[in-house]
C-alpha cells in the first residue's frame, strides 16, 4: 500500500514540476524572484525534452508501482500520461517541437518581463 501511495505522490510532484516548467514564467510576471527557481527548472525541463533524457522521477515512480503490484510503464512521464492522449504516434518528432515551443513561450514571457522591468526602472 505504501508503495502505491508513494508512487501517486511522485506522480503529483512530477505533474507539478511539469506545470511549473511549462507556465512558471507567467508567475514571474507577478513575482520576479520566482525566476530564481523557474529558470533552472526550465533549463532542466527543456533539456529533458530536447535531448531525450529521462527525469529521475519517472523510474522512481515506475519502481514504486512495480513494488505495489501495479504495472509500470515504458517511456517517459509526459509520453505515458499525456502523449498517449494527445500524440499517439510519432512522439519523438513531437517531443522536439514540444521542447522548442516550451523554450519559445518562456523566452517571450521573460522578454516581456525584462522590457517591463526596464520601463519601470526608467520611470522610477
Amino acid at each position: 500500500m505504501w508503495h502505491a501511495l508513494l508512487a501517486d505522490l511522485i506522480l503529483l510532484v512530477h505533474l507539478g514540476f511539469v506545470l511549473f516548467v511549462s507556465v512558471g514564467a507567467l508567475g514571474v510576471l507577478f513575482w520576479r524572484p520566482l525566476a530564481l527557481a523557474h529558470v533552472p527548472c526550465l533549463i532542466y525541463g527543456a533539456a529533458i525534452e530536447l535531448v531525450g533524457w529521462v527525469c529521475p522521477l519517472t523510474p522512481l515512480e515506475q519502481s514504486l508501482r512495480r513494488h505495489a503490484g501495479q504495472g509500470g510503464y515504458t517511456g517517459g512521464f509526459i509520453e505515458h500520461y499525456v502523449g498517449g492522449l494527445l500524440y499517439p504516434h510519432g512522439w519523438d518528432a513531437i517531443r522536439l517541437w514540444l521542447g522548442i515551443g516550451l523554450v519559445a513561450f518562456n523566452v517571450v514571457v521573460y522578454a516581456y518581463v525584462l522590457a517591463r522591468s526596464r520601463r519601470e526602472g526608467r520611470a522610477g
Side-chain angles (χ1 to χ4, degrees), residues 6 19 23 27 32 36 49 56 58 67 92 101 105 107-108 113 120:
L6 287 173
L19 289 173
V23 296
R32 289 188 197 134
L36 296 173
E49 287 301 315
T58 299
H67 279 75
D92 287 334
F105 170 76
V107 164
V108 167
V113 168
E120 291 171 0

Side-chain angles (χ1 to χ4, degrees), residues 3 8 30 33-34 47 53 59 85 89 105 118 122:
H3 289 106
D8 290 343
F30 303 101
L34 185 62
W53 293 338
L85 296 172
H89 300 290
F105 170 76
R118 286 186 181 138
R122 280 186 248 147

